[in-house]
Amino acid sequence: MDTINLTRTTRSLLKSTMTGLGQSLVPLRILGGRLRYLSPFPRRFTGAYASFEEAVAAAGTGALVGYDHEEIANVAFEQMCRIMPWDYPILFWLRSLLDEVDRIVDAGGHMGTKYRAFRQLLPLDATFFWIVYDVPAIVAAGRERARTDGLTQLSFVDRIEDAPEASVFLGSGLLQYLDIPLCALLASMRSPPRHLLLNKVAFRKGGPVVTLERIGRAYVPYQMRDEHAFLGELARMGYRLVDRWAIPELSHVIETHPELGPSECAGFYLRREEERPPVGIQ
């Protein structure tokens, strides 16, 4: 059985099921989901929590929690370096912006996987720099691999404050793992990037929820957001929605909580218009 801690409600439901009373207490779909806690087979998504903190606590003290572990740095690395169908909107918008930018901050960019995937299809000259922001263990592994591979235009920071100014912010697969609001991360940068390219953002109708995703031997909190609230926060920072694309292939159901329904997945291009001085002021 996994090291995930069972909530009081889950333990109660399991007890009712095992005594033969479960079917009369709760719908079979809910019971079927909770019984997956007892399965010997690994699950991709486990549990439903109100916050990252609750999800981390539920993972238990005997499990690796989060991404900041050297031993999971290489999990699915080769797969993440491949171009997938949902990458093409990002490639389209990046190509259209290259004439006006010379660097990009790739938040949650792992070991430079998107740089490695995209550089064959984008005209990135020697003056273009790709800066990855990620957790310390991933950054250390990424720096070593980039040095070994001779990727001199790829660099890494484990504090967003240390990233240089960049007009393009890429977050591909970042948002579900980010433990602070995106607006707080953007506000910590040296200056607000003008262009936001966000991909593989998980949403859920009915309100946000945090689950635990199994990645290698680690349990990583995975957030499904409320799309209206998410875009509203960015709008208050001055970001205007330019494009949105759906990614139905990345819809997920939490195995232990199927009654919550499937998540939705989408990508976005948002632009922050440059501030203009009042009329008459030069």
Side-chain angles (χ1 to χ4, degrees), residues 104-153:
I104 181 173
V105 170
D106 181 3
H110 203 254
M111 293 192 288
T113 52
K114 290 307 174 190
Y115 173 76
R116 293 167 181 272
F118 293 173
R119 67 193 180 110
Q120 304 300 325
L121 297 180
L122 292 174
L124 304 178
D125 61 30
T127 65
F128 189 92
F129 295 95
W130 194 289
I131 303 96
V132 169
Y133 160 67
D134 217 303
V135 296
I138 301 298
V139 163
R143 282 176 178 155
E144 179 59 26
R145 188 180 281 265
R147 184 193 65 77
T148 300
D149 295 342
L151 301 179
T152 58
Q153 293 170 256

Side-chain angles (χ1 to χ4, degrees), residues 190-241:
R190 296 190 182 188
S191 64
R194 185 179 184 194
H195 308 280
L196 300 184
L197 292 171
L198 309 175
N199 213 16
K200 299 188 289 182
V201 187
F203 298 109
R204 176 182 168 271
K205 288 183 169 64
V209 67
V210 181
T211 185
L212 285 166
E213 182 179 10
R214 183 75 175 264
I215 300 178
R217 291 183 53 243
Y219 290 101
V220 182
Y222 181 106
Q223 182 171 186
M224 300 173 180
R225 300 167 183 267
D226 177 274
E227 183 172 356
H228 180 75
F230 173 69
L231 292 176
E233 292 172 0
L234 291 173
R236 287 189 287 275
M237 284 193 74
Y239 287 100
R240 180 177 64 85
L241 180 63

